[in-house]
Each structure stands twice: as C-alpha cells, then as structure tokens.
Amino acid sequence: MNTAAPLQIDTYLPYMRDVIRCEQSLHELNLMWRMIESSAKMNCPVEARTILPTMAATREGFNRLEQELVASLVKEKIATVLDEIGTKAQYVIDIVVRNLFERTADVGFLATDNELCAFVAGLSDNPPAIRQRLRAYRSKYTVYDEIILLDAAGNVLVQIDEATPLEGSVDPLLAQTLASTTYVETFRATDLRPAKKQALIYSRRMLHPDTGVVVGVLCLCFNFEQEMAGIFQSHRDPAGRSNMMLLDGENRVIESADALWIPPGAVVPVNPGSTAKLMMFAGREYLVRTFRSEGYQGYPGPPGWQGQVMIPVDVAFTGGGSGTLAALDPGVAAGLLSHAQSFSPPLYEIMTAAETIQRVVWNGQVMTTGQRGEQMKLKTILDQISETGARSNELFAKSIGDLYETVLASSLRDSEFVSHLLVDLLDRNLYERSDDCRWWALTPELRVALAAPERDGEEIERMSLILDYINRLYTVYTRIFVYDASGCIVASTHPEQEDGTVLGTFIETDTLAQVRALRSEQDYCVTPFAPSPLYGGRPTYVYHAAIRDPDDDASVVGGIGIVFDSAPELDAMLRSGLGNKAGVTALFVDRQGCVIASTDQSRPVGTTLKLDQTLLDLPNGSSASRIVIHDGHYAIMGCTVSSGYREFKVSDGYREDVLALVYDSFGEVRGRLSAGHKGNTMLQAEVNAIGGREFATFFIDGVLFALPAEHVLEALPASKISTVSRDERKACIGLLGLQHEAVNKGSVWVFDLGYLLHGRPAIIDRSSQVIIVRFGEQTIGLLVDALHGVPEFNTAQIMPTPFTGSSDGKLVKYFIKANGGQLLIQAVDVSSLFALLMVRDGVAQAS
C-alpha cells in the first residue's frame, strides 16, 4: 500500500456509509476478541489452553483485517465508479469518431459529383437546380445543416441555408483545402457559419470534369450541436449525478450534457490513466475518467478530442443497491455469492472472516460439551462469544449485503448501459446505409443509362466504374449493384461469385415489387436479415432504392442495391462496445430471438437464443437487466431494444427491431449451497433444556442436521482437504491433517456426508467445513456445507425418525423437534455411519 493510501481512505470514507458500517463491525469484533481472550486467560487459563492459540490467531487476523480490508473496500468501490463512468466516457468519444468517419467519406464522394463539378467549373449555370440537388442530399443525410459550394476565390456560388446568406469567405480553410488532395476537417469559429460560435466543417476541393483543374471547394457543415445533444440525451446519467463532456486537446469543454453545471469553454481536470485520485473543479471534488479515441478504420478523429465523465465524490457512491439481492431466489443468491472471490475479493475476505469466527465459537462449544464445574467457566465465555458474535454478525451480514448489493447493482447498470450502447451503434451505422442507397439512386449517369431503351457495353462499363469508385470509398459494402426495371442486374462491383457472375441474374420478385412501389426518392426498402446469394449465401441486409427516369420521377426504371458486409461490421460493433472485458459476451437478436451477430462461439448467426418473452416484448428504446442462469453460469444480463436514429426506423416507415444482449458471467452454477437458508434456522431457547443432550448442528443442502456432540472433536475448513483418488468410491474425497490433541497427530479420510445421505456430490466452497468425528478408536472427517451451532435439547424433543424406510433412514435414526415443533433437525446416528463406512484396521473405507 502506498503512503498516500491512508489519506485517500480518510477522504473517501465519509461518502461510503456501508464501508463505515463494515469498519465499525470489524472494530467491534476486534474488541470482542481482545475482551474474550483476556477473560479466558484470567478466569480459566487451564480449561482454555486449547482454544487460546486459536483465539489469539483470530484476534491478530481481525486486527490485520481491520487495517487492510477497509482500504480494500474503499478501492473497490472507487474502481466500480471509475469503471462505470469510464464506459460512458469512452462511448462519448467513440460514437463521435464513428460518426465523423462517415463524414470524411461523404465529402470525398460528393466533391466528385459530375453535376456539381460542372456547375462550379462554369459549364452549367442553373443555381436553383444545383440548390435543389444539394437539398436532396441534405434530405438523405440529415446530419448536415448547411452545404456550400465556393469558387477558387472564395465566392459563394450556392448554399442551402438561406437564413444566413453568404457572399464569400476569407477563411484560411479554403486555401488549405484547395492545396490538399484529401478532405480538410475544421472545427472553430468561421465566417462560413457566422451565426455559430464554432462549426465543424468537412471541405474538399472540386476539379473541372474535363481538365482536372482545381475550380472550387465543397463544404459540408455537420450539425454538431444537435448530434451531441442527442448523444447526451440518450446516454447521460438519468439521476443527474454525473456529467458527460466532449473535450478538445487543451482539456477545454467543447460540449457538455449539462451546460449550467459545467459550461462549454471551461477547462477541466482530466484523468486518462484511471487513477483513483480526486480532482478539484470549481470548488468541488470529482472522480474523473477521460478517453481519447483509438480511431476508426484509419480515421483518428479530430486532433486531441476526448470523451470525459465527471462525478462529484459526495454523490458518487449513493447509487448503490436497490433490492437486487432480496429479489433473487435464495439459491441463486447463495450461488452467486459463492463466487465472490472472483468478482469481489474484498467481499470474499469479509465472508471468510465471518466463517472463521463462527468456526472458532463452534469448536469451543464442542470442546466444552458435557462439562461442568470449572469447565462451565469456559462454556460461559463461549456463550458470551456466541451472543456477542451474533449481534456483531448481524452488522457484519449487513455490511456484506450492502457491498454485495453495490457490486451487483453496478454490474446490472453497466450491462444495461452497454446493451444500450450496442443498439445505438447499430442504428447509427444502418442509418448511414439507408442514406447511401437513396442518394446513389439519384446519380444522373445511372438514371440516364437505365432509362435508355438499350444499353451498350460502354454504358455498362461507365456504370461499373461509378459503382467501383463508390465502393472504394464506402468499404462497409461487399457489393453495390444496379438492376433494370425487370430486376435483372446489369452492373455490379465484385460481380464474380461461386456459380459464375451476378450479372444477368435477377433480384427476388417480392423485393422488386417493393422497389417499384417506393413512392419517392426519400423511400427505400431493406431485405430481411437472411441468407443472400449476393453475400455468398450468408445472412445480411441488402438496402434498395428505386432509380427513376430523369424526365419523369414517377417512372421507376430500375434500382440500386447495396450489400452490407454484416459479418465483420456487426462483430466489430459488438466487440468495440464490450472493450476488453473478460468473460463478457454480446449478441444482436431479432424479436424471435434469432441471432444476427454474436461474440459467443456457441451461438453463431442463425441460431436461436432462448429468451424470456417479457424481454422479447420490450418496447422500442427500453432496457432491462437481471441476474440469470446462462449456459450453466450465474450471469448479469443487460438487454436493450433498438429505437432508431434520427428519422431511421422512427419516421421513415422502416421497421426491423433488434435487441442487444450482454452477458457477464460470474461463475458456474453450484447445486449444493446452504448459506442462503441460515436465516430461517435460528433456534429458540428451550425451557428445561439444561441437563439434556448436546448436539453439533450443521447444514447440508440447506437442511439442518445434527451429530451427538460427544462424538465431535472439532471443525476444520474444507479448503485444507488434500484430494486423493479413491477409485470409484465417490463418498471419500481426500485426506485432512488433524489438529486436535485428543487424537494422534496425523490425517483422516474425509467423506462427503451429503453424498452418503442423498447421493449428490458436494461442491466445496468458502462455507464448506469438515467435522472431525470420533467413534471408539476410529476418527473420520465429514464434509458439510456450513456450521450452525451446538445447542442442548431435552429428551422430550428427541423422537424416532419417520425416514426408516428411506435412503436417509440408513443414517438418520431419530430427529429433534426444535422451535416448538416448527423445525425438525435430522440426527445422524454415529454407529450406523461408521458401520456404513466399514471401518477396518483403524482406517475408514468408503463403501
């Protein structure tokens, strides 16, 4: 632990009430052990000599735990918050960069448009027609709020935003663009957008269509403020505890989800290294996560841009549990908790410490069984331990529950957010596809060629060159093709396929009918996600738009189809949303659960994922998260249904709902766990029990069993078992070294008592214990799920068992009526147990 850790802990603790409760509980346990140890040394040093070393070791352990565990818990809670805000911070920059990548392709394509180039070169003079063409582009690609054509001197030839008329520009971006062979990205104040404080513009030079001389500049003005508002509206913290921002390279806020809280223009502290360090801004301390983009398909994004989320420390830890644990099936809760070591080491430490104190008390009670006189002093001390320990454990259990609830609730929120992110990525990506097919259907050369009664080889070659040029710019398509009014494909990129060529083949009849029925250039259609011969027989989406007669928009002369490269593109979306999280899988499925894309190799595309109908019926845009059993593992599942992006799937008539599912596995399902049932088996004190018979009680499969305490020596943690092969004897699971002074030091065979009773092998976990049992000269170990207590019962409570004819009847000969007859405890008969195990020559053998 570094020297700054104590200061950090003191800084954070006032904001972590559950950790404070845990610290108080640990302190109380520490004081209790000191008091009990001192009392035992003073009042019964001889009788307590066997338990004093254990008590001292436990006290020392709790002293260390008190110092180290609180620091560990603080760090874990900070890490949980940093992970949560980090996911959102990375999303902000990643989704912006993905969106802007599409803009670089758009400006590159539109700058080569023949009609626009001819106009800028002075070969045509019809500004209204050109403005109409630009507005047609804007109506497809609604992310732009202005498109401007300028000549080489900076004079504005045409613009579509008549609310801010321009005559010309002297912005340096014009000279930079004229000198560049690629796009220029500009973000700042500019005379091209005088009404805005800053504008994001993608510009590219335009060439004379005949001579190739540079004649002007095209500027696509991205509606940046609207785009960022949409991102923040969709994904910011609904409780308003944190703020999402986009920063520039100087850590200055470009856009803020809450401009009244942290305004644009403010310089904020950043945390690109994910350090657990509080940062001050405007007199308030924050936890911060900052991410730069890793780029997308070679596009790095605007220089220095960063995504950031800031959350004030005073509210960072207030969004904990919300009854998640209480709502779970007790068996599932216990099973998930049994994997605490893997998903929350500090939680596991607390649970292990609680088990340790219980075992020490249990062993002390066993040791004083049947003792009177001076031994009663030790028994009194142990009773004091039990009583005080019970009160402390109540606080302990609350601390465990709070931390467990926090871990689960955070995981549930994170999985839900990631699923929301995934469908958003999908909708945003496919929105671009709908734009592309509609715009390319307006290509004049394609319209003229398809409207002609006949097409010669030169015209087909010209169409093919146009399609090839487009496909080189837009690499998310494996094929772009054009077909005539009969549906026959006349030109295509990558025309080759396994059985020859796509040229001369026909699209599906129903698809052609849909294309011919499209009412305007704003309409398009998409084939269902299904195997397509145009995609090598693999499933994908194919987007279609009608190509219309250049002289009659009502006449459909053919269509254009674009084949989305779904396999790598959808997989990349899923993996980018998951990041590098281990043990997490994600899928896109349709409303029937059919898999569209998957990172789970056991569920390839086309298979069906079994889902609860309530998930399949979730409304568009809705999310859900829950704890489930998935592939034999406990898992956190997040689910979100697509809701579209801008007009796509919202108002354009297209409906194709997709669900994103995220599974975060925490460990294999465990069948025999009893921890979840302990609270239901508290024993009430019995009148006239003094002078009765004492029993050591324990759990198997959540059921309370008992052994006569006079045959029990002690309990040891099952983690100390050395596994030894015993052929086919499944009841015998290994060897365990002895510590009790009443027997010779050595090892005993350990048998699975649950397997002997019910035939189901145990799963050894943190709660598992081995009870050392002595009968005559023989000693064995019995594996049980958890310890309970060593109560005393009067003879009237002990009754013959009704299970004589059952498998349990071999070992259970009587039962104990506790809690006024409301609870039956099955008592294992020791002589029958040893007879079953066939003790021979001093060694117990598994039958």
Side-chain angles (χ1 to χ4, degrees):
M1 185 180 299
N2 60 51
T3 55
L7 176 62
Q8 289 291 323
I9 291 169
D10 291 341
T11 301
Y12 284 112
L13 267 179
Y15 310 109
M16 300 179 179
R17 296 175 184 174
D18 50 347
V19 179
I20 292 175
R21 285 194 295 268
C22 179
E23 184 183 41
Q24 292 170 341
S25 177
L26 289 170
H27 188 61
E28 182 177 341
L29 287 169
N30 198 342
L31 291 177
M32 182 189 73
W33 279 109
R34 289 178 182 275
M35 179 191 70
I36 297 300
E37 184 182 10
S38 298
S39 179
K41 285 179 178 178
M42 290 186 295
N43 296 320
C44 48
V46 176
E47 295 81 2
R49 68 184 184 277
T50 57
I51 198 173
L52 281 173
T54 302
M55 292 173 66
T58 303
R59 174 180 52 77
E60 291 172 2
F62 271 97
N63 188 48
R64 184 175 61 255
L65 195 65
E66 188 176 8
Q67 298 174 30
E68 297 179 358
L69 183 57
V70 171
S72 177
L73 293 176
V74 169
K75 290 177 183 177
E76 167 132 330
K77 290 180 76 69
I78 294 171
T80 297
V81 172
L82 289 174
D83 284 345
E84 191 170 338
I85 65 174
T87 299
K88 296 184 178 183
Q90 186 163 18
Y91 166 72
V92 171
I93 187 63
D94 283 353
I95 202 68
V96 167
V97 168
R98 282 172 172 267
N99 194 320
L100 299 187
F101 164 74
E102 300 282 353
R103 314 292 65 93
T104 65
D106 289 349
V107 73
F109 177 70
L110 192 59
T112 61
D113 184 275
N114 279 343
E115 284 194 26
L116 301 182
C117 288
F119 173 76
V120 173
L123 301 181
S124 65
D125 185 19
N126 190 351
I130 295 300
R131 183 176 293 108
Q132 180 60 34
R133 181 159 179 77
L134 293 179
R135 285 179 174 166
Y137 186 86
R138 163 66 176 80
S139 67
K140 311 295 184 299
Y141 298 86
T142 56
V143 295
Y144 300 112
D145 58 4
E146 172 70 296
I147 304 175
I148 307 171
L149 296 180
L150 304 98
D151 65 19
N155 298 305
V156 173
L157 303 177
V158 171
Q159 67 179 113
I160 64 172
D161 183 5
E162 296 180 333
T164 55
L166 301 173
E167 292 185 1
S169 172
V170 294
D171 194 297
L173 77 84
L174 297 176
Q176 184 182 357
T177 305
L178 291 169
S180 174
T181 59
T182 183
Y183 70 89
V184 172
E185 185 177 62
T186 306
F187 181 70
R188 52 173 169 74
T190 171
D191 61 4
L192 288 166
R193 300 295 283 151
K196 293 190 174 187
K197 291 183 179 180
Q198 51 193 6
L200 181 56
I201 298 176
Y202 289 84
S203 56
R204 184 143 185 171
R205 71 185 188 184
M206 303 178 74
L207 307 180
H208 193 291
D210 298 328
T211 66
V213 174
V214 177
V215 292
V217 172
L218 165 71
C219 293
L220 293 180
C221 303
F222 184 61
N223 197 340
F224 180 68
E225 296 84 356
Q226 185 184 73
E227 173 66 13
M228 294 308 302
I231 292 174
F232 294 148
Q233 177 66 31
S234 181
H235 297 290
R236 68 168 298 181
D237 179 8
R241 296 181 307 134
S242 62
N243 197 12
M244 303 176 79
M245 288 156 281
L246 183 68
L247 312 180
D248 65 15
E250 297 178 347
N251 305 332
R252 192 177 305 276
V253 177
I254 299 172
E255 290 291 336
S256 169
D258 191 335
L260 294 177
W261 181 0
I262 302 177
V267 176
V268 294
V270 297
N271 182 21
S274 186
T275 57
K277 175 183 173 184
L278 289 178
M279 298 182 173
M280 185 71 72
F281 173 73
R284 199 175 185 186
E285 290 183 302
Y286 289 84
L287 283 169
V288 180
R289 285 297 301 276
T290 315
F291 279 89
R292 292 181 181 270
S293 171
E294 296 181 356
Y296 180 65
Q297 295 197 10
Y299 168 67
W305 280 22
Q306 307 162 90
Q308 176 156 304
V309 174
M310 299 172 63
I311 185 168
V313 66
D314 53 307
V315 298
F317 310 105
T318 59
S322 55
T324 302
L325 191 56
L328 286 177
D329 175 270
V332 173
L336 190 56
L337 193 56
S338 73
H339 289 286
Q341 189 171 21
S342 62
F343 73 87
S344 179
L347 175 58
Y348 182 81
E349 275 194 75
I350 295 179
M351 293 159 57
T352 302
E355 297 293 340
T356 300
I357 186 173
Q358 183 181 22
R359 185 172 60 252
V360 169
V361 173
W362 196 89
N363 282 338
Q365 291 174 323
V366 165
M367 187 184 70
T368 59
T369 296
Q371 301 296 324
R372 299 293 182 263
E374 289 299 313
Q375 283 284 358
M376 283 300 293
K377 294 180 181 180
L378 179 57
K379 188 173 181 64
T380 301
I381 289 174
L382 290 168
D383 288 343
Q384 194 76 34
I385 293 175
S386 295
E387 182 180 345
T388 308
R391 291 196 302 267
S392 297
N393 281 341
E394 185 176 350
L395 289 173
F396 219 49
K398 183 68 168 66
S399 297
I400 292 173
D402 286 349
L403 179 58
Y404 187 28
E405 190 78 48
T406 299
V407 170
L408 292 179
S410 175
S411 297
L412 287 166
R413 288 194 302 270
D414 188 60
S415 65
E416 195 169 309
F417 179 83
V418 172
S419 69
H420 192 178
L421 162 64
L422 292 176
V423 290
D424 194 23
L425 287 173
L426 178 69
D427 283 341
R428 287 168 175 272
N429 190 298
L430 298 185
Y431 156 82
E432 304 285 350
R433 315 294 66 92
S434 69
D435 294 345
D436 291 346
C437 73
R438 290 179 295 166
W439 174 248
W440 297 335
L442 297 180
T443 305
E445 292 86 348
L446 299 181
R447 297 178 70 175
V448 170
L450 289 179
E454 294 183 1
R455 286 167 295 279
D456 57 26
E458 187 175 331
E459 286 178 311
I460 292 176
E461 178 65 21
R462 190 180 304 116
M463 285 193 291
S464 297
L465 290 174
I466 293 172
L467 299 181
D468 283 337
Y469 173 71
I470 296 172
N471 212 163
R472 286 196 301 273
L473 283 174
Y474 295 83
T475 57
V476 297
Y477 306 113
T478 59
R479 175 175 286 139
I480 304 174
F481 59 95
V482 168
Y483 47 92
D484 62 20
S486 69
C488 179
I489 297 176
V490 297
S492 173
T493 63
H494 312 297
E496 65 285 344
Q497 58 181 10
E498 289 185 3
D499 56 352
T501 177
V502 300
L503 300 178
T505 64
F506 289 80
I507 66 171
E508 297 87 347
T509 303
D510 57 342
T511 301
L512 179 62
Q514 291 181 59
V515 173
R516 295 181 65 86
L518 295 175
R519 293 174 296 176
S520 73
E521 66 180 43
Q522 284 296 100
D523 298 312
Y524 66 98
C525 63
V526 188
T527 62
F529 190 84
S532 170
L534 297 169
Y535 193 55
R538 295 172 295 166
T540 191
Y541 297 112
V542 181
Y543 287 73
H544 291 264
I547 295 178
R548 302 175 184 277
D549 191 306
D551 299 320
D552 181 9
D553 282 346
S555 176
V556 174
V557 294
I560 187 169
I562 55 178
V563 182
F564 182 54
D565 195 3
S566 61
E569 293 297 325
L570 297 180
D571 184 74
M573 289 181 214
L574 292 176
R575 296 189 185 280
S576 67
L578 295 182
N580 297 318
K581 296 179 181 178
V584 183
T585 57
L587 307 93
F588 287 133
V589 303
D590 63 19
R591 284 285 192 185
Q592 288 71 47
C594 182
V595 175
I596 294 172
S598 171
T599 65
D600 181 353
Q601 293 183 354
S602 67
R603 289 183 172 84
V605 175
T607 58
T608 299
L609 177 67
K610 291 184 179 180
L611 289 172
D612 189 297
Q613 193 61 41
T614 58
L615 294 175
L616 294 173
D617 293 339
L618 279 174
N620 292 98
S622 297
S623 298
S625 56
R626 59 186 63 170
I627 296 168
V628 297
I629 305 295
H630 180 67
D631 290 343
H633 286 70
Y634 302 106
I636 300 288
M637 183 208 67
C639 174
T640 301
V641 184
S642 60
S643 59
Y645 171 65
R646 304 183 76 88
E647 69 279 358
F648 177 68
K649 291 187 180 179
V650 175
S651 59
D652 62 2
Y654 176 50
R655 291 291 180 272
E656 183 74 13
D657 294 341
V658 174
L659 288 73
L661 293 134
V662 176
Y663 291 94
D664 187 356
S665 296
F666 281 123
E668 292 182 352
V669 171
R670 292 176 169 171
R672 278 180 49 185
L673 295 160
S674 62
H677 302 279
K678 291 183 182 180
N680 301 324
T681 50
M682 296 295 294
L683 297 183
Q684 301 169 4
E686 296 289 339
V687 180
N688 301 323
I690 302 300
R693 191 175 180 187
E694 291 170 292
F695 286 85
T697 55
F698 50 89
F699 291 98
I700 293 177
D701 287 347
V703 177
L704 204 56
F705 285 82
L707 281 165
E710 63 267 23
H711 293 292
V712 176
L713 299 181
E714 64 178 336
L716 298 171
S719 59
K720 295 184 178 298
I721 297 174
S722 298
T723 304
V724 177
S725 174
R726 295 288 290 172
D727 302 322
E728 298 301 318
R729 295 162 181 165
K730 295 181 180 179
C732 186
I733 57 175
L735 287 167
L736 183 64
L738 293 178
Q739 300 177 13
H740 202 278
E741 65 174 13
V743 295
N744 294 327
K745 296 295 187 292
S747 298
V748 294
W749 290 110
V750 178
F751 297 89
D752 183 351
L753 184 54
Y755 182 79
L756 293 171
L757 289 168
H758 306 139
R760 294 191 296 274
I763 297 175
I764 298 177
D765 65 4
R766 168 192 49 80
S767 298
S768 301
Q769 306 288 332
V770 176
I771 298 175
I772 307 302
V773 181
R774 187 78 181 270
F775 184 69
E777 298 299 318
Q778 310 303 327
T779 306
I780 61 171
L782 296 176
L783 176 68
V784 300
D785 290 342
L787 302 175
H788 179 254
V790 189
E792 190 171 350
F793 301 102
N794 60 48
T795 54
Q797 292 177 266
I798 303 172
M799 308 289 290
T801 180
F803 307 129
T804 306
S806 67
S807 59
D808 289 346
K810 296 177 182 178
L811 297 179
V812 179
K813 302 296 186 182
Y814 49 95
F815 65 88
I816 303 165
K817 295 172 65 176
N819 294 354
Q822 297 300 309
L823 175 65
L824 296 181
I825 304 172
Q826 300 179 54
V828 176
D829 183 72
V830 176
S831 62
S832 298
L833 174 65
F834 275 72
L836 181 67
L837 296 176
M838 296 187 299
V839 179
R840 298 174 183 170
D841 302 324
V843 179
Q845 305 291 325
S847 61

